[in-house]
Amino acid sequence: MKIHKVTHQSSLPSNTRNKLILRRTRKRFNPKVFIDRTIETTAIASLLITGFSGVGAMGCWGIEIATSSHYWQQQKSICLGAMLVSFSTFLGTSLVGASLSIQRDKF
């Protein structure tokens, strides 16, 4: 963060004449940084969801084998579908991030 030093002079005696005033500058909104952070956050979140859905699918698969219940087969299919969607999201965000990076570097 940038800090500007400004001296303020007044008609007071010399020992109190120069006062140091620190002012903080406002950070400006940078759309490139916002897009990069959004892509990075989406990619990380989709990988985490993929992992947790995989663990859920493995648990449902184990319970399905142990109980021979049709309910757990349906739950396993839901978890596998969530894995597919979140992994596709990861691949999509990675592709968008890579294409923006290449476009910015002007290869």
Side-chain angles (χ1 to χ4, degrees):
M1 185 179 308
K2 294 181 181 179
I3 297 177
H4 292 288
K5 295 180 181 179
V6 178
T7 57
H8 176 70
Q9 295 182 355
S10 66
S11 61
L12 295 173
S14 64
N15 61 350
T16 59
R17 183 178 301 162
N18 294 329
K19 293 182 180 179
L20 185 63
I21 299 172
L22 298 177
R23 293 184 186 164
R24 290 175 29 181
T25 59
R26 276 182 84 182
K27 282 189 169 183
R28 301 184 93 183
F29 176 72
N30 190 351
K32 290 181 184 177
V33 172
F34 176 73
I35 290 170
D36 286 342
R37 288 186 180 165
T38 302
I39 289 172
E40 180 183 351
T41 303
T42 304
I44 291 171
S46 64
L47 277 180
L48 285 173
I49 291 171
T50 301
F52 287 129
S53 297
V55 169
M58 293 296 285
C60 291
W61 182 55
I63 294 174
E64 177 192 356
I65 291 174
T67 61
S68 299
S69 173
H70 184 68
Y71 172 77
W72 292 107
Q73 183 180 8
Q74 184 180 10
Q75 292 298 101
K76 178 183 73 172
S77 298
I78 291 171
C79 288
L80 290 173
M83 278 180 62
L84 180 65
V85 169
S86 59
F87 190 67
S88 299
T89 304
F90 168 72
L91 291 178
T93 54
S94 298
L95 181 65
V96 169
S99 66
L100 288 177
S101 175
I102 289 172
Q103 189 177 34
R104 210 173 293 137
D105 292 341
K106 296 180 181 172
F107 280 111

